[in-house]
């Protein structure tokens, strides 16, 4: 067994798991939590954590930020949370420490053990939960890359599903259905005269989610990605490797290569709802950390979700904390991933006030 890491109180900003030369700082915001446990795993598919760090409110909490610093921890480490607090759905509080939660600010996740059904209901799901991975954003050479800043009037935009664009064997690429596959097809995009690609959702979504089974018995899963579960993480299904957070590097490689060819990158982003669904849906992150803050709940019966999105829930976009989350997310994709712009899915929901109006 590995030796346990030494733990210090850490700091509240920035949120997420941020490595430096000596370890990793973890910070999580939860308005109503009463206790937090950080689980550290030797490997992405280990069922049991190698180390459990139980936060002490007097040392590991500032305002509503829960944080710690783990000395000697390296990028590539997998982690998750258990968050303790009141289970009072009638009041909009859905804390359940038996559910293992990924970090809302995670830069990468792995889903090799993931079972969506196990994330529903009250029982413990550590054996089938996702894991977040610590990623060092500094470890990349952009080679001077910058956003292209081309005027919209000069743009020829090609809407693209990263997975589907090169999935067919006729595409002739080495890694079909991936960010690397897009790089291989840049000459084709240039031949078309494309000046920008608008990527259908590339933030992490649950491609194992079964949407329905047809009369003929065919299982239809989430293909399009319009149901985000992790907003700071490139979708792992479009990467060749994900175990140590390579999806960040592979996405950056794609953006850099497209920019070198004079092609901008626009993201179709879905901030209006999440993949956790309604009151019967899975607990993945927000529902078990900030349910009452993050979602529009029915005013006189907050065990239920307002469904302005038609997808089971609606993000409370104009709550100050959620607004901060969205703005930090947009900054991340522009500053750290060099994307050139965004298209907002169901953008009108972003203008709803905290009361839903």
């Amino acid at each position: 067994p590995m030796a346990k890491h030494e733990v210090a109180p850490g700091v509240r900003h920035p949120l997420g798991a941020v490595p430096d030369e000596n370890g990793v700082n973890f910070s999580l915001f939860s308005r109503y939590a009463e206790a937090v446990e950080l689980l550290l795993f030797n490997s992405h598919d280990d069922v049991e954590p190698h180390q459990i760090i139980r936060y002490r409110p007097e040392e590991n909490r500032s305002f509503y930020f829960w944080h710690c610093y783990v000395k000697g921890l390296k990028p590539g480490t997998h982690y998750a949370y258990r968050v303790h607090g009141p289970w009072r759905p009638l009041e909009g509080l859905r804390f359940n420490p038996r559910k293992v939660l990924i970090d809302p600010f995670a830069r990468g996740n792995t889903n090799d053990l993931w079972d969506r059904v196990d994330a529903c209901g009250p029982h413990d799901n550590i054996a089938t939960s996702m894991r977040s991975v610590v990623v060092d954003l500094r470890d990349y050479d952009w080679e001077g890359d910058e956003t292209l800043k081309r005027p919209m009037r000069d743009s020829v935009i090609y809407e693209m599903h990263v997975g589907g664009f090169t999935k067919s064997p006729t595409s002739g690429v080495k890694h079909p259905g991936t960010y690397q596959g897009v790089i291989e097809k840049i000459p084709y995009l240039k031949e078309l005269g494309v000046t920008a690609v608008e990527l259908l959702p590339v933030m992490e979504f649950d491609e194992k989610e079964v949407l329905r089974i047809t009369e003929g018995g065919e299982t239809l899963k989430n293909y399009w990605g319009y149901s985000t579960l992790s907003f700071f993480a490139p979708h792992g299904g479009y990467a060749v490797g994900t175990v140590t957070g390579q999806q960040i590097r592979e996405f950056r490689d794609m953006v850099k290569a497209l920019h070198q060819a004079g092609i901008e990158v626009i993201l179709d982003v879905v901030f209006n709802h999440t993949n956790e669904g309604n009151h019967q849906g899975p607990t993945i992150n927000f529902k078990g950390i900030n349910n009452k803050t993050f979602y529009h709940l029915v005013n006189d019966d907050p065990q239920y979700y307002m469904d302005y999105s038609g997808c089971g829930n609606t993000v409370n976009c104009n709550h100050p904390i959620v607004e901060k989350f969205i703005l930090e997310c947009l900054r991340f994709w522009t500053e750290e991933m060099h994307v050139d712009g965004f298209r907002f899915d169901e953008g009108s929901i972003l203008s709803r006030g905290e009361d839903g109006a």
Side-chain angles (χ1 to χ4, degrees), residues 88-157:
R88 295 201 294 266
L90 293 175
E91 299 174 27
L93 298 171
R94 291 182 172 271
F95 291 98
N96 180 359
R98 291 182 294 277
K99 293 305 182 193
V100 175
L101 311 171
I102 56 173
D103 182 359
F105 280 78
R107 273 41 171 176
N109 303 284
T110 55
N111 65 353
D112 296 324
L113 301 175
W114 174 239
D115 186 311
R116 188 177 182 86
V117 174
D118 281 355
C120 304
H123 55 278
D124 195 289
N125 73 324
I126 191 167
T128 57
S129 60
M130 282 182 273
R131 312 280 188 256
S132 296
V133 59
V134 177
V135 177
D136 190 347
L137 295 174
R138 303 167 301 171
D139 184 25
Y140 189 76
D141 183 6
W142 277 108
E143 302 178 63
D145 177 78
E146 294 181 354
T147 54
L148 299 182
K149 301 179 177 63
R150 180 180 290 107
M152 282 292 290
R153 65 177 179 271
D154 299 331
S155 295
V156 178
I157 301 174

